[in-house]
Amino acid sequence: MKRIILPLIAGILVAFAVAGPLLVPVDPLAQNILARFAPVGTPGHLLGTDNFGRDILARIATGAQVELLTALASTMIALSLGVSIGVTAAYSRGLTEDFLMRGIDVMLSIPPLILALLVVAVLGPSVPTLIGVLALLFTPGFARVAYGQTLSVRSRPFIQAAIIFGAPRRSIILGQILPNIVAPLLAQASLTIASAILVGSGLGYLGLGIRPPMPSWGGMVADGQRYLATHPMLMLIPGLFVVSAILTFSALGDTLRTLWDPREQGGR
Amino acid sequence: MGLAAYCGKRILIGLAMIVCVQVIIFLAIQVVPGDPVEAMLSETAGIGPDVVAALRQQFGLDKPMPVRLLNHVIGLLRLDFGISFQYSQPAFDIIASRLAVSIELVVLAAFFGITGGILLGSLSVQTRWGDRLVSILGPVILSVPGYVLGSVLILGLSLSLGWLPAGGVAPFSDPAEHVRRLVLPVVTLALPIAATIAKVTRFEILEVRTQDWVRTSRAYGFPTRVTFRRDILRNALTPVLTISALELGGLIGATVLVEKVFNLSGLGSLLVSSVSVRDYPLIQGAVFVISAFYIAINIISDIMYGFLDPRVSKR
Amino acid sequence: MGILTPEATAIAKPPLLAVRGLNIAFGDTGIVKDLSFDIAPGETLAIVGESGSGKSVTALSLLGLLGPRARVTGSIAFGGEELLPYDFGRLTGLRGNDVSIIFQEPMAALNPVYKIGRQLGDVLRNHLKLSPAEARARAVELLHKVKLPNPEVKCDQYPFELSGGQLQRVMIAMAIACRPRLLIADEPTTALDVTVQARILDLLRELQAEMGMSILFITHDFGVVADIADRVLVMRHGEKIETGPAGDLFSAPREDYTRMLLSAVPSLERRDFLEDAPAPSDDTTVLEFRDVGITFYGRRGHELKALDGIDLTIRRNEVVALVGESGSGKSTLGNVAAGLLRVNRGQVTIDGRLRQGAGTGKDLHSPGVSMVFQDANASLNPRMRIGATLRAALQWNRRYKPGLDCSDGHIRHLLSEVGLAPELFDRFPHELSGGQKQRVGIARALSVKPSLVVADEPTSALDVSVQKTVLELFRKLQRQYGFACIFITHDLSLAASISNRVVVMNRGRIVEQGPAAEVLRNPADAYTRALLDSIPLPDPAAQRARRARPAGPGTHP
Amino acid sequence: QDDGRMLTFGLSANVGNLIYGPSRGAAQFIVNQQLHRGLVKFDENGTVVPALAESFEAVDTSTYRFTLRKGLVFHDGTPIDSATVKASLEYLARRETGAAIYAALSTLEAIETPDAHTVLVRLSKPNASLLDYLADPNAGISPPAALAPGAVNWIGAGPFRLKANDSGVSLTLVKADTYYDKDAVALDGVKFIFYPDSSARANALIAGDVDMVDFVGWEDFERIEATPKLVLDAVPGPFVYTLFNTGRAPFDNPKVRQAIAYAINRDNVVAAAFYGHGNPLNGMPMSPGNDRYDPAMGELWSYDPDKARALLAEAGVAKGMKISLLTSSTYSFFRDMALSMQADLKAVGIDAELNAPDWPTYTSAKNGGNYDLAVAGGAPSVTGPVYMQAYAVGAPASSFGSYGYDASEIVAHIQAGEAIAGDEEARAEYAKAVRIIGDQVPFLPLAQRSQAFAYTDRVKGFRNIPGFLSITGTGYMIEKTSIR
Ligand SMILES: Nc1ncnc2c1ncn2[C@@H]1O[C@H](COP(=O)(O)OP(=O)(O)OP(=O)(O)O)[C@@H](O)[C@H]1O
Ligand SMILES: Nc1ncnc2c1ncn2[C@@H]1O[C@H](COP(=O)(O)OP(=O)(O)OP(=O)(O)O)[C@@H](O)[C@H]1O
Ligand SMILES: [Mg+2]
Ligand SMILES: [Mg+2]
């Protein structure tokens, strides 16, 4: 069952993300206050309308791009930053290690809210800022994982072999260590994408999420929550998309991890 | 002794980190736009720059930044963060009054989340339905924002069914009511923790299960139950507890939305509200407590790790 | 050995364990096929065979420890009682009580988070009604029995605080705690060094004599077989090749396979020295250690001199075997030569260039040195294909040696040099057998045209037959290329068969060195003699004779 | 459950320490009104009535005489006489106090105390609304100890006194025997429990945890109305409006500002921001209870996009002009209002980009002129037309006004009106000011929001005062409230 449903959901999500506005050629910003809170199945508004009378399906479709872009981009940035920090710390040891890892701890001990506020203050609110904030929030997690993994990998004999055979530091890190710490990082990344969607909507409260009226799924959930008691669909529909995106990403992470394992690849 | 010296070193580094966080926050606040005096007077008519200047002076905001930073760091030594702009009360006192709620919430949520997670994780490797529960429900719980979960619980269990109160706190003098009011917020906070811990526990158990000593235990005729508890779970718990500590450490500042939904006045909402009026002393104080809590939990977890895994402490 | 002669026991009593037509399969692959054997009370049966022949699977099947995926059919009768199909309730009562088992890796087989006393006590209390205090008293008693020094103290220590030999004693104590009738020992000494192995075998023999239990002993070391077995079962690919009394098997093996195994065993007795090895034709000094010392500092300021005043010179074409018991500093020395460790004291010169010592820089690594690792599997990056691994080594070294050829063709040629099919070029390490991986390791070491190869126990993870071919290949290539070599091993017979010179280490010092034949035939140092005496001779009669003589210095023939 | 005469009140914000003078928002007003009492207060019709002052009299528009009641004391027994009142009012008139009524008292010339019961307040400029200001919840007479910046101000002369302060959670007040009108107080006390989140507050009322709540969220109106035994008491309250940065193009041009006044669909604003619970405004809002109320003030502009387009074309504004629209994410109605305006502006060819930072950043941006168009909210504390002055005068002089706007003409007319004692003549002056406003559009009121209290039907005698006083006056009703 899982084998059919997950790719199906993934397909829908990707279709929306790639061609959403084309698939649903309704202006997601067009307000029609008289037609607000139209229920699901209203002709012309398949998934109903929101508190401004905007078409929910169109907003979901348009939001897909932004949502997936921010989640993926921030995760990628956090991944590369965190891995650079973690691997450098574990590989250099000594003062650099202390400095980097304690720095990571300091970052982790600052409440995310404050961290987010600071970044927005410096960069101003926009989608790139949101990506930056999320990346900053998730970097320490990746750094920690990369650090721990590198520590355990670097003592393995094939690293010693590389040293003996004259490998320069760069290719030890990139060619020997990195490929061997990818699996846990992938696991972390699939979790992070999920948090990125959640935290992204939470940051909307600070006015630094995706700038309205541009739709985003997380933002739609946050807005819809206000009408939970009277019009629950406003929250449930985007919520369903958030949940399925998260499930898809974690399944994707698992698949990638298996594919990465040479034991799962064919011989030649 | 080794342990004492190690702890001492960790604590010193921890203190340095707290000071570091404080300085970062202090400098950060200067960069963030928005002014405490203007924010405070935003609803008062006929306010011109003269009144703003007078109040700035009263709050000591007219002094140059390095002087204020120095004063702040000196104040830190006495745990004095200054007088809250908003409440005209020492920030320390306000934080102290909010801390009890937060800690109670966080500790209970962590306790139930962690024990529940360990239980579920154990079940998931032993039974098929446990496996389904953890692998399907887990991600779903993790993808529902806390405020949504909280709202749904309130609508369902409080307003529709009337089983539990909708929010707020009751004093300790009324223990039954006190507990009743904590149930929903604790559940809301604990569920995602349980989902995470269950996942980790499951992973670790699968890992430990292949170890040789488990085979030894079976080979010596220990009943399955005993082998599971003594040789699998006990060993799997060490990494689980480290991760739990991390979860716990980050939790104290992250309960904002749940506090909001259930109307609990904890540290998280205090921080948010003080940020929203730029109440510098309160922000500094709240961040101090949150970062100190995080760092302390981390130190404790590191030391605890040593006790749980004798290989670490004795070497 | 039992009190009675093997023949007598076999006839006099019904067998304690009777296995008939045992078949074991995992899924569709049959692992053990139609295996039958008996063990009489008080008898020791050794099962030998190459790695993967199904020895461990057979042993585990006796106690139903194979897990749910295994399909076990046939008949296993213990003390007349049929165990198949498994009744797990019954087995739980049997396990550790009537039948006990000792595993190969004592460190891995004990739970790292509980103290020794607690683990022993738990086993006792699992089968006997004892209070915790009584259990502890019994535990101490048992530890006494297995001759563990300071049992009272050791009871309160964790497994990682004990050495491998001590841990194996703890395992044995655990196994005999409930006075089992059958003891299964699955390669109990393979992870230990010779001196410790000798003591463990002695202990097992004593306990057997005292308690009259039967032993099923699994090993692939014929020396050990000769030392302990009454009867031997030779296995291959899950099938019985032959079985018979130990003496007959050694003196008159019936099957070719058995003969092949026996001939693969390097033996000091058979004068298997490198007598024909040419003395180094060339006087160029490749490696020079002058007064080298390394001290490790543990926690609490504990100091450990891993190397202490080492002076050593190796010339071109020379193979130096480094022997000594575990922890004597052999690997440390090798790592210093390879540039993996920094010395605290002294000078290291390689190919005429000062590498370590006053005034040398940060870079310890010398392009003239390469290495073959003990664990071939771990020394290959699991995510790189074989060809890529070899190419990387070549490319890295091109910075020093511009002449190196990195082409695929050359790499395939290198593979064929070490006797590997060129198709392996595109395989991942996990798709190769242990012997193949070690050949890759050798190919890699030689590909960079080294002047010195450090080989740290390159064959100790391989089984005898594979070990032999790998060694032969190594010897051939060494002659062909003429590199100098440090060959680290704790197997003296192996050292003898490959080296020009033997260096014996003990506690970080060189205690004796000289031509292999000389050192091994006429050891000057008492420690070398003790080492030699610990090696079981792969001949039951000779071994029995040696054991009969009172132990002491100078007992080597 | 005590004896049933304790009112449990779910309050919309945390009230920290009370400080004398400054405004800290609606929740603090309500608490102040229970603990403190000024010379005058509002009654249920929004009229100023005597409080600590037994009677008052406007000698002229710049001189007021108050006669204190006899035997007044604070909760702690300290007597109140004319000197106490003088000290209090002088403290509020100091700039450093940052008092809510500083605008009115900044023209204070002298306070005379001919005897212990008479207070004579002299202003340097006429001010017909002084009494409104003195009825403000922040103008309660306070003991000398409270007259210092940062000093706590829990002890007052109000109908209830503080019994317990569970900081951040609740305040428990009990009836004060020292109150001059204690016999009229029906409740034994009020327990204020803080519910900053509006849906949590509504939930608490529905679940029966509290008897009454203030500031009901608009999305909760139907829910509460649909719940049996709950009363929703909603009135038109404060208003929302738009500010223009008149310091730079295009809003330095009055024609463009007018165009905006015609471009916005007020019905949509009400629907989007207030869930339909409010009144669209086509002119200046005003409390009908005030003596100088003039319905004509409410008819200045109307929704007419064609006219807006024409005006824009006349002003030479190109189609597709980009502007930035400042709002705040802290309040969802601010953001929703801006979103609704954004659609209307687009319809007339203006491309407005939303800037929605948190409240302090918004405030700084607004005061610093860092916007083209801004959304703002107004809750005047006086009911007379004079309130318009604070909104007409441009920032930075007045933080409520459009950045850079020079309102001297408007101010002159308003001040003239304030100086006139007769209501009819004064109205003519205000009308002049309003005409200029209609033409110049220094600020643009768009809608008056519904302001609601909600309570169980056991609560009697309470009434939400309509208009601006819903915020500043309704708190005085609690002393008249009873609960069954
Ligand atoms: N649980 C299992 N599932 C599938 N195959 C297994 C399992 N356990 C062992 N095997 C396979 O059974 C065969 C025999 O394994 P076994 O461990 O008995 O060999 P062995 O003779 O003990 O070798 P060694 O000397 O290396 O210990 C091997 O090919 C191994 O891969
Ligand atoms: N990095 C290190 N830190 C501390 N002690 C070490 C370190 N490496 C080795 N030692 C210690 O130095 C001693 C010599 O170790 P070494 O590995 O050289 O022994 P070995 O002769 O190779 O033994 P084996 O036969 O078991 O491989 C041992 O006691 C070991 O515990
Ligand atoms: Mg085996
Ligand atoms: Mg070694």
Side-chain angles (χ1 to χ4, degrees), chain D residues 314-325:
Chain D
E314 213 177 302
V317 170
K319 260 214 168 316
M321 176 185 57
K322 283 199 182 348
I323 61 160
S324 89
L325 173 53

Side-chain angles (χ1 to χ4, degrees), chain C residues 104-106 164-165 168 187-193 197 326 490:
Chain C
Q104 173 173 359
E105 299 258 9
Q168 199 55 289
E187 313 208 23
T189 58
T190 311
L192 308 176
D193 61 279
Q197 165 173 306
S326 186
H490 57 243

